[in-house]
Amino acid sequence: MKCIIVYQSKTGFTKRYAEWMQKALHCDIKDIKDVTGQMLSDYDRIIFGSYIRIEKVCGWKKFKKRLGEDSIQKLVLFATGSTSVTAVDHINGIWERSMLKEELSVIPHFYMQSGLNYEKMSLGEKLLMKVFAVIMKWKKRREGTKLSQDISKSYDHSSKKYIVPLVEYVTKQNTVK
Protein backbone atom coordinates (compact mmCIF):
# COMPACT_ATOMS: atom_id res chain seq x y z
CA MET A 1 0.00 0.00 0.00
CA LYS A 2 1.47 3.34 -1.06
CA CYS A 3 1.40 5.85 1.80
CA ILE A 4 2.35 9.51 2.25
CA ILE A 5 2.48 11.86 5.21
CA VAL A 6 1.59 15.46 4.43
CA TYR A 7 2.24 17.90 7.23
CA GLN A 8 1.84 21.56 8.06
CA SER A 9 4.16 22.82 10.78
CA LYS A 10 4.58 26.28 12.23
CA THR A 11 7.04 25.80 15.08
CA GLY A 12 8.52 22.39 14.18
CA PHE A 13 6.56 20.01 16.40
CA THR A 14 4.29 18.62 13.66
CA LYS A 15 7.24 18.23 11.29
CA ARG A 16 9.13 16.26 13.95
CA TYR A 17 6.17 13.92 14.47
CA ALA A 18 5.75 13.49 10.71
CA GLU A 19 9.43 12.56 10.37
CA TRP A 20 9.18 10.04 13.22
CA MET A 21 6.13 8.46 11.56
CA GLN A 22 7.83 8.43 8.17
CA LYS A 23 10.72 6.42 9.61
CA ALA A 24 8.37 4.00 11.36
CA LEU A 25 6.09 3.52 8.34
CA HIS A 26 8.75 3.74 5.60
CA CYS A 27 6.54 5.99 3.51
CA ASP A 28 6.81 9.27 1.61
CA ILE A 29 6.64 12.62 3.39
CA LYS A 30 5.93 16.13 2.09
CA ASP A 31 5.36 19.58 3.49
CA ILE A 32 1.88 20.75 2.48
CA LYS A 33 3.50 23.60 0.52
CA ASP A 34 4.96 21.03 -1.88
CA VAL A 35 1.78 18.99 -2.49
CA THR A 36 -0.95 19.09 -5.12
CA GLY A 37 -4.22 17.15 -5.17
CA GLN A 38 -3.11 15.41 -8.38
CA MET A 39 0.12 14.27 -6.74
CA LEU A 40 -1.82 12.67 -3.88
CA SER A 41 -4.16 10.72 -6.16
CA ASP A 42 -1.43 8.06 -6.57
CA TYR A 43 -1.51 7.16 -2.87
CA ASP A 44 -3.63 4.52 -1.13
CA ARG A 45 -3.19 6.10 2.33
CA ILE A 46 -2.80 9.83 3.02
CA ILE A 47 -1.84 10.92 6.51
CA PHE A 48 -2.37 14.62 7.14
CA GLY A 49 -0.89 16.30 10.18
CA SER A 50 -1.07 19.83 11.47
CA TYR A 51 -1.07 21.84 14.66
CA ILE A 52 -3.93 23.05 16.83
CA ARG A 53 -4.63 26.76 16.49
CA ILE A 54 -7.56 28.53 18.11
CA GLU A 55 -9.06 25.18 19.17
CA LYS A 56 -9.08 23.68 15.63
CA VAL A 57 -6.76 21.65 13.42
CA CYS A 58 -5.10 24.28 11.26
CA GLY A 59 -5.40 23.76 7.49
CA TRP A 60 -7.67 20.69 7.66
CA LYS A 61 -10.57 22.17 5.67
CA LYS A 62 -8.29 23.50 2.92
CA PHE A 63 -6.49 20.17 2.70
CA LYS A 64 -9.76 18.25 2.28
CA LYS A 65 -10.85 20.59 -0.53
CA ARG A 66 -7.56 19.97 -2.30
CA LEU A 67 -8.21 16.21 -2.21
CA GLY A 68 -11.88 15.96 -3.08
CA GLU A 69 -14.63 13.74 -1.67
CA ASP A 70 -13.41 10.46 -3.18
CA SER A 71 -10.24 10.57 -1.02
CA ILE A 72 -11.97 10.57 2.38
CA GLN A 73 -11.52 6.78 2.76
CA LYS A 74 -7.75 7.19 2.27
CA LEU A 75 -7.29 9.76 5.04
CA VAL A 76 -5.78 9.56 8.49
CA LEU A 77 -5.51 12.78 10.52
CA PHE A 78 -3.16 13.72 13.31
CA ALA A 79 -2.84 16.94 15.25
CA THR A 80 -0.22 18.28 17.60
CA GLY A 81 -0.77 20.70 20.42
CA SER A 82 0.21 21.87 23.85
CA THR A 83 -2.82 20.33 25.56
CA SER A 84 -2.02 17.33 27.75
CA VAL A 85 -3.05 13.96 26.30
CA THR A 86 -4.96 13.38 29.54
CA ALA A 87 -7.37 16.25 28.72
CA VAL A 88 -9.58 13.89 26.70
CA ASP A 89 -12.74 16.03 26.82
CA HIS A 90 -10.83 19.08 25.62
CA ILE A 91 -9.19 17.12 22.79
CA ASN A 92 -12.55 15.64 21.76
CA GLY A 93 -13.89 19.20 21.58
CA ILE A 94 -11.06 20.12 19.22
CA TRP A 95 -11.97 17.19 16.95
CA GLU A 96 -15.64 18.20 17.01
CA ARG A 97 -14.78 21.80 16.05
CA SER A 98 -12.38 20.66 13.32
CA MET A 99 -14.20 17.78 11.64
CA LEU A 100 -17.69 17.30 10.29
CA LYS A 101 -19.87 14.93 12.30
CA GLU A 102 -19.73 12.23 9.61
CA GLU A 103 -15.93 12.56 9.37
CA LEU A 104 -15.49 11.84 13.06
CA SER A 105 -16.71 8.29 12.58
CA VAL A 106 -15.01 7.67 9.23
CA ILE A 107 -11.60 9.35 9.40
CA PRO A 108 -9.18 7.95 12.00
CA HIS A 109 -7.73 10.83 14.02
CA PHE A 110 -4.91 10.95 16.53
CA TYR A 111 -3.67 13.62 18.94
CA MET A 112 -0.01 14.05 19.87
CA GLN A 113 1.08 16.32 22.68
CA SER A 114 3.89 18.65 21.74
CA GLY A 115 4.50 22.01 23.36
CA LEU A 116 4.99 25.70 22.76
CA ASN A 117 7.88 27.36 20.98
CA TYR A 118 7.66 31.12 21.41
CA GLU A 119 10.92 31.61 19.51
CA LYS A 120 9.28 30.40 16.27
CA MET A 121 5.92 32.17 16.72
CA SER A 122 4.95 35.38 14.97
CA LEU A 123 4.58 38.52 17.08
CA GLY A 124 0.77 38.27 16.88
CA GLU A 125 0.77 34.64 18.03
CA LYS A 126 3.13 35.45 20.90
CA LEU A 127 0.86 38.26 22.06
CA LEU A 128 -2.24 36.04 21.88
CA MET A 129 -0.54 33.33 23.94
CA LYS A 130 0.74 35.83 26.51
CA VAL A 131 -2.77 37.28 26.92
CA PHE A 132 -4.18 33.76 27.24
CA ALA A 133 -1.51 32.93 29.86
CA VAL A 134 -2.49 35.98 31.91
CA ILE A 135 -6.19 35.06 31.67
CA MET A 136 -5.47 31.47 32.74
CA LYS A 137 -3.37 32.63 35.70
CA TRP A 138 -6.17 34.98 36.76
CA LYS A 139 -8.70 32.16 36.36
CA LYS A 140 -6.47 29.79 38.34
CA ARG A 141 -6.31 32.22 41.26
CA ARG A 142 -10.03 33.00 41.10
CA GLU A 143 -11.36 29.46 40.68
CA GLY A 144 -8.57 27.40 42.17
CA THR A 145 -8.16 25.42 38.93
CA LYS A 146 -4.89 23.74 38.03
CA LEU A 147 -3.08 24.48 34.79
CA SER A 148 -1.49 21.41 33.26
CA GLN A 149 1.37 23.55 31.98
CA ASP A 150 2.65 27.05 32.53
CA ILE A 151 2.03 28.53 29.08
CA SER A 152 4.02 31.67 29.70
CA LYS A 153 7.23 30.11 28.33
CA SER A 154 8.40 27.60 25.71
CA TYR A 155 8.42 23.89 26.49
CA ASP A 156 8.50 20.55 24.67
CA HIS A 157 6.57 17.42 25.69
CA SER A 158 6.94 15.64 22.34
CA SER A 159 7.52 11.92 22.53
CA LYS A 160 7.74 9.08 20.04
CA LYS A 161 5.29 7.17 22.24
CA TYR A 162 2.49 9.39 20.91
CA ILE A 163 2.94 8.11 17.34
CA VAL A 164 2.45 4.47 18.35
CA PRO A 165 -1.39 4.33 17.98
CA LEU A 166 -1.28 5.91 14.51
CA VAL A 167 1.61 3.75 13.33
CA GLU A 168 -0.13 0.60 14.61
CA TYR A 169 -3.39 1.62 12.93
CA VAL A 170 -1.77 2.29 9.54
CA THR A 171 0.38 -0.86 9.74
CA LYS A 172 -2.68 -2.97 10.52
CA GLN A 173 -4.65 -1.39 7.66
CA ASN A 174 -1.77 -2.05 5.27
CA THR A 175 -1.69 -5.74 6.17
CA VAL A 176 -5.49 -6.14 5.94
CA LYS A 177 -5.73 -4.81 2.37
Side-chain angles (χ1 to χ4, degrees):
M1 190 173 248
K2 194 171 177 188
C3 177
I4 186 169
I5 300 167
V6 179
Y7 69 90
Q8 177 174 301
S9 189
K10 184 88 169 180
T11 58
F13 294 112
T14 308
K15 180 180 181 182
R16 180 185 310 150
Y17 275 115
E19 289 171 345
W20 286 342
M21 284 183 261
Q22 187 268 332
K23 287 178 183 165
L25 294 169
H26 308 286
C27 63
D28 295 337
I29 184 172
K30 293 273 185 191
D31 187 306
I32 194 166
K33 293 177 250 173
D34 303 323
V35 171
T36 64
Q38 179 62 39
M39 177 189 302
L40 296 175
S41 65
D42 294 338
Y43 289 91
D44 303 305
R45 177 77 56 213
I46 302 166
I47 302 168
F48 176 73
S50 189
Y51 52 93
I52 306 290
R53 184 167 185 229
I54 312 173
E55 301 293 306
K56 289 185 179 179
V57 179
C58 191
W60 172 240
K61 287 183 181 180
K62 284 183 181 179
F63 184 72
K64 286 187 309 180
K65 284 181 185 174
R66 191 181 291 188
L67 287 178
E69 288 296 316
D70 55 331
S71 297
I72 292 291
Q73 299 300 327
K74 298 178 178 185
L75 286 172
V76 174
L77 173 63
F78 78 92
T80 63
S82 59
T83 300
S84 170
V85 293
T86 61
V88 176
D89 290 340
H90 183 80
I91 294 165
N92 286 338
I94 291 169
W95 294 127
E96 290 168 3
R97 285 184 290 282
S98 301
M99 301 172 77
L100 300 172
K101 197 172 222 170
E102 55 272 14
E103 291 174 343
L104 284 167
S105 61
V106 177
I107 299 171
H109 45 282
F110 302 86
Y111 177 76
M112 297 164 197
Q113 185 175 348
S114 55
L116 290 173
N117 187 337
Y118 282 100
E119 294 75 22
K120 292 188 179 180
M121 288 182 187
S122 69
L123 179 60
E125 290 168 325
K126 287 178 190 177
L127 289 173
L128 282 172
M129 289 304 298
K130 293 293 182 180
V131 168
F132 183 65
V134 169
I135 291 168
M136 292 306 290
K137 284 180 183 179
W138 173 79
K139 187 176 181 180
K140 178 181 176 182
R141 271 188 252 125
R142 188 171 155 259
E143 298 176 6
T145 58
K146 292 171 84 176
L147 283 177
S148 62
Q149 179 66 47
D150 178 11
I151 61 172
S152 62
K153 60 186 179 298
S154 295
Y155 63 92
D156 183 355
H157 289 263
S158 303
S159 172
K160 288 183 181 178
K161 69 183 177 185
Y162 297 131
I163 72 168
V164 171
L166 185 148
V167 169
E168 287 177 350
Y169 172 83
V170 171
T171 303
K172 183 178 177 184
Q173 294 302 307
N174 287 351
T175 57
V176 169
K177 299 249 175 192

